[in-house]
Each structure stands twice: as structure tokens, then as C-alpha cells.
């Protein structure tokens, strides 16, 4: 059983510039089959955008998504975790902050992302969340 975040995180997370348009980011998320991207300038993490953010804060807000910058949709990062931190610490942070994904930072720069599904697969592989999280995308 994995004991550290580095054992279960998705490494090399997709990062986008805050100036990139919503449509381009949505297509990248589709093509890479991911549900979240980090918004960064160089090694400076500015925020996180999820597929839900694209719909709720992007499309439903109106305007032209081909012209709207993704930086305007990003949630500020309220918590991060290190690659050598424990899975229990990640679960505690997610519970306390009510977040489903945590950016993983090493020496102040993003090196991964860990999701509640990643934790479920590792900590309770028999759970419904683990089953759903482990399933391959069909789109």
C-alpha cells in the first residue's frame, strides 16, 4: 500500500497560462482526459480550474468562451500538499477545506495533483468511489 502522495499523485500536471481562453483549455482537458488544470505563470501556481468551473463559471456566465481568459475562472489555491506527505494528511486537508483535488508542490513548484478518487483507490479499493475513479473514460 502506498504511504506517500508521490506514490499515487498524477505527476507532471497540466498547467496553463491565465491568459489562455476557456475553449482551448476545455479542449486540452478533453484531449488529455483530465478534470482539472493548474493555472500558473512559470513555476508560480495561481489557481486551479476544474471541468465544473468551465461550466458554472464559464459557459453559464455567458459571454464568448473563445475570448474569456481562464484565469478569471480559476479557484485560488487554498491548500497544497508535498510529495512526501502522507495519504492521511491529504484526506484531512481535503475534508477540512472541502476540496476534491490538491496540487502537489515540491520546492514551491507544482509537480503533481492528487484527487479524492486517487485516495479512494488506495485507501478503500472496495468503495464505490474507488470503482468509479478507477474506470477508464469512454469519451
Amino acid at each position: 500500500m502506498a504511504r506517500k502522495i508521490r506514490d499515487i499523485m498524477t505527476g507532471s500536471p497540466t498547467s496553463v497560462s491565465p491568459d489562455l481562453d476557456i475553449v482551448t483549455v476545455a479542449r486540452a482537458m478533453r484531449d488529455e482526459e483530465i478534470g482539472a488544470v493548474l493555472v500558473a505563470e512559470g513555476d508560480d501556481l495561481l489557481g486551479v480550474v476544474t471541468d465544473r468551473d468551465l461550466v458554472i463559471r464559464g459557459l453559464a456566465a455567458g459571454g464568448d468562451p473563445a475570448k474569456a481568459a481562464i484565469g478569471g475562472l480559476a479557484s485560488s489555491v487554498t491548500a497544497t500538499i508535498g510529495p512526501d506527505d502522507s495519504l492521511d494528511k491529504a484526506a484531512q486537508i481535503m475534508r477540512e477545506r472541502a476540496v476534491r483535488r490538491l496540487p502537489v508542490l515540491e520546492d514551491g513548484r507544482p509537480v503533481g495533483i492528487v484527487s479524492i478518487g486517487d485516495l479512494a483507490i488506495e485507501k478503500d479499493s472496495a468503495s464505490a468511489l474507488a470503482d468509479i475513479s478507477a474506470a477508464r473514460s469512454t469519451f
Side-chain angles (χ1 to χ4, degrees), residues 55-106:
V55 174
I56 303 299
R57 295 184 191 155
L59 296 177
D64 185 349
K67 293 181 181 173
I70 200 70
L73 303 184
S75 298
S76 35
V77 177
T78 61
T80 62
I81 196 154
D84 293 320
D85 287 330
S86 71
L87 305 187
D88 289 338
K89 182 175 180 180
Q92 177 184 354
I93 292 170
M94 287 179 177
R95 187 178 308 111
E96 289 172 355
R97 300 293 178 111
V99 296
R100 297 177 184 184
R101 296 172 179 89
L102 286 174
V104 181
L105 301 184
E106 188 168 42

Side-chain angles (χ1 to χ4, degrees), residues 16-58:
V16 298
S17 164
D19 299 326
L20 208 55
D21 67 89
I22 293 170
V23 172
T24 300
V25 173
R27 287 180 180 149
M29 291 171 72
R30 176 200 61 201
D31 295 347
E32 295 179 38
E33 297 184 12
I34 56 176
V37 295
L38 302 179
V39 179
E41 286 185 314
D43 285 341
D44 295 329
L45 180 61
L46 304 176
V48 176
V49 172
T50 67
D51 45 7
R52 186 173 192 275
D53 294 332
L54 292 175
V55 174
I56 303 299
R57 295 184 191 155

